Amino acid sequence: MMMTPEKRDAIIRLIKQQVVPAVGCTEPAAVALGVARATELLGCTPEKIKIWLSANMLKNAMGVGIPGTGMIGLPIAVALGALVGKSEYGLEVLRDVNPAAVARGKVFISEDRIQLSLEEHDPDKLFIRVVCLSGDHESEVVIKSGHTHFVYLRRDDEVTLDEQSTSTESKETSEEVSLTLREVYDFARDTDLDALRFILEAKRLNEAAARIGLRDNYGHELGKTMCSPLGKGIMGDSIFSKILSVTSCACDARMAGAKIPVMSNSGSGNQGICATMPVVVFAEENHNTEEELIRALILSNLTAIYMKQSLGPLSALCGCVVASTGSSCGITYLMGGTYEQVSFSVKNMIANLTGMICDGAKPSCALKLTTGVGTAVMSAMLAIQHRYVSSVEGIIDDDVDRSIRNLTSIGSKGMDETDRFVLDIMTSKGG
């Protein structure tokens, strides 16, 4: 069945909503965004900032570096959101951070002006409530269901936005496009090339992040280690090792707080890196054409978006499972794979990676990305030879879309108790 021009246009809008630049980890960036908007509503620097976060938001913001600060965690992101944040920048809200602002932020923190609490009443896994106070005035902002989705704005008694009870859909995903993997593949293969060229910006940004990760010492230096004589001595200088090291370099830099934009996917910079860099490196090493690269990047990123539609923006399942499944599809396509072979790669990925937990955003995410991307390459290698995990094995179904829903339902519902255990462990360490 032919795809209508209207649906094609809607898919392009969906990709452009979900594939956007972000500076730093998107969870603390989203909190800083809420603080910046509340500060703008208040009209002055707050004397006190009170914040309530869902468990998943808290988990993902605790251990990650904040760009341009040399510091880890939420307090500095909150302080800088109030002092120099601009809500018009979206997830690049902290773009204007400089050493003077960091110094002011440290003072702000030392004056005990920030209060962080766990939100226990709202069931949404992505929830941020910010209240800023100064004198007799206060402002309130609520972000829900998406990293940039404001559902409530108030200054004193004047409410200018209230969609808390009527809107549960994220504006990040407000383009409600129902998809199947077949439609994702057909869209990537058949859409006019000029309409898809925008995806090359993801290549440009994430390649730049990888170069910085290789140049400087960030995080656990996984990418640099794989490029070192030790790494090459063990792993060689293969296409496989290059895919792993380049992807890791970009993640090393981002998670450790490098002040660089990366192209995110579905609200996650790591997912953007994971859906982009393996495809870029394979295309270069395999001497694919620019058109093949563009179509493979669209296939990879749109597959991740499609899977996240049923998984949700935050879950107990590591996002690299979804993003690396996208990259496996892209690599399979670059190998000359058909739709059937692309669907085989998805089944291979789900059979292997389902159950990888998310224990927050942090430098060691590079290890998980590398695991996901390594599996992506192996899954593509098997798929191109028509080897795949069948429906007699585990959670795999004959229907690839049902296999995807099996994965996402485990991640969004089946692992809820795991999620609570993980957060409890993270918040009680050293206690």
Side-chain angles (χ1 to χ4, degrees):
M1 186 172 155
M2 285 282 291
M3 186 177 290
T4 66
E6 290 77 17
K7 182 154 190 177
R8 208 172 286 279
D9 290 344
I11 293 173
I12 290 172
R13 289 195 299 271
L14 174 65
I15 299 172
K16 288 182 176 179
Q17 286 170 353
Q18 297 286 359
V19 180
V20 296
V23 175
C25 178
T26 47
E27 276 70 54
V31 176
L33 176 63
V35 172
R37 188 72 187 94
T39 301
E40 290 160 2
L41 284 173
L42 190 64
C44 62
T45 301
E47 295 169 4
K48 190 85 175 175
I49 303 174
K50 298 180 180 180
I51 299 174
W52 291 261
L53 300 173
S54 59
N56 284 77
M57 284 298 300
L58 197 59
K59 179 180 73 175
N60 274 9
M62 285 170 61
V64 69
I66 307 303
T69 69
M71 298 173 70
I72 285 173
L74 275 170
I76 191 63
V78 171
L80 292 172
L83 295 170
V84 297
K86 288 187 174 66
S87 65
E88 66 196 73
Y89 292 167
L91 292 178
E92 295 182 276
V93 58
L94 299 181
R95 188 194 301 172
D96 295 339
V97 167
N98 55 46
V102 174
R104 290 169 60 206
K106 290 177 179 177
V107 172
F108 196 97
I109 294 168
S110 69
E111 292 172 345
D112 199 26
R113 293 159 73 169
I114 300 168
Q115 177 184 312
L116 292 165
S117 304
L118 180 65
E119 169 59 45
E120 297 180 354
H121 303 296
D122 194 290
D124 203 286
K125 291 185 177 181
L126 200 166
F127 180 91
I128 304 163
R129 180 180 172 225
V130 180
V131 174
C132 288
L133 304 109
S134 181
D136 295 331
H137 299 285
E138 70 174 44
S139 60
E140 181 179 1
V141 163
V142 176
I143 293 174
K144 185 175 175 179
S145 303
H147 292 77
T148 60
H149 184 209
F150 292 95
V151 297
Y152 188 80
L153 300 173
R154 174 181 65 84
R155 185 184 192 276
D156 295 334
D157 295 329
E158 184 184 358
V159 176
T160 53
L161 176 69
D162 187 0
E163 297 179 355
Q164 293 188 94
S165 57
T166 58
S167 174
T168 57
E169 285 298 313
S170 163
K171 283 187 180 174
E172 291 177 341
T173 55
S174 60
E175 193 71 53
E176 292 183 22
V177 184
S178 63
L179 292 167
T180 63
L181 188 68
R182 177 87 227 192
E183 288 176 316
V184 169
Y185 176 85
D186 288 346
F187 173 87
R189 185 192 61 184
D190 298 336
T191 301
D192 179 69
L193 191 65
D194 286 339
L196 305 178
R197 284 189 182 277
F198 67 88
I199 202 67
L200 289 176
E201 182 67 2
K203 172 182 181 289
R204 186 185 72 81
L205 287 181
N206 294 345
E207 274 185 330
R211 284 194 295 270
I212 289 169
L214 181 60
R215 184 190 70 197
D216 299 324
N217 296 334
Y218 284 108
H220 300 293
E221 300 176 37
L222 177 60
K224 289 189 80 166
T225 299
M226 284 190 281
C227 291
S228 70
L230 172 66
K232 288 184 178 179
I234 293 171
M235 299 185 67
D237 198 14
S238 63
I239 297 174
F240 183 64
S241 66
K242 285 179 182 176
I243 288 172
L244 298 187
S245 61
V246 171
T247 305
S248 301
C249 279
C251 184
D252 283 332
R254 177 177 178 268
M255 286 289 93
K259 194 182 175 186
I260 47 164
V262 301
M263 192 64 84
S264 67
N265 182 302
S266 304
S268 166
N270 280 350
Q271 285 167 204
I273 290 167
C274 198
T276 302
M277 293 317 300
V279 177
V280 168
V281 175
F282 186 87
E284 184 177 323
E285 296 291 324
N286 197 45
H287 303 290
N288 288 101
T289 64
E290 183 181 69
E291 176 174 350
E292 289 166 340
L293 170 62
I294 290 170
R295 297 194 184 283
L297 284 173
I298 289 289
L299 175 59
S300 177
N301 279 274
L302 187 55
T303 298
I305 292 166
Y306 163 46
M307 295 176 74
K308 288 288 281 189
Q309 284 181 330
S310 54
L311 181 63
L314 295 177
S315 74
L317 186 72
C318 177
C320 83
V321 175
V322 167
S324 58
T325 299
S327 67
S328 189
C329 294
I331 291 169
T332 304
Y333 178 84
L334 291 172
M335 289 176 171
T338 62
Y339 166 71
E340 184 183 43
Q341 289 163 311
V342 165
S343 71
F344 293 162
S345 72
V346 172
K347 291 179 179 182
N348 292 340
M349 291 295 289
I350 293 171
N352 193 338
L353 290 180
T354 297
M356 183 187 286
I357 63 165
C358 170
D359 55 342
K362 61 218 172 300
S364 62
C365 286
L367 290 162
K368 294 190 178 188
L369 256 67
T370 305
T371 296
V373 170
T375 304
V377 176
M378 290 187 288
S379 295
M381 287 166 55
L382 287 173
I384 207 71
Q385 299 176 89
H386 287 83
R387 297 195 175 103
Y388 63 96
V389 179
S390 71
S391 62
V392 300
E393 302 175 70
I395 64 168
I396 300 304
D397 195 289
D398 285 327
D399 183 284
V400 68
D401 295 292
R402 277 200 290 270
S403 296
I404 288 170
R405 286 193 291 277
N406 291 344
L407 164 75
T408 57
S409 62
I410 289 170
S412 62
K413 298 170 188 168
M415 294 173 71
D416 273 350
E417 189 67 17
T418 300
D419 217 12
R420 285 189 286 273
F421 264 84
V422 168
L423 184 67
D424 188 51
I425 289 168
M426 290 174 65
T427 55
S428 62
K429 284 187 293 186

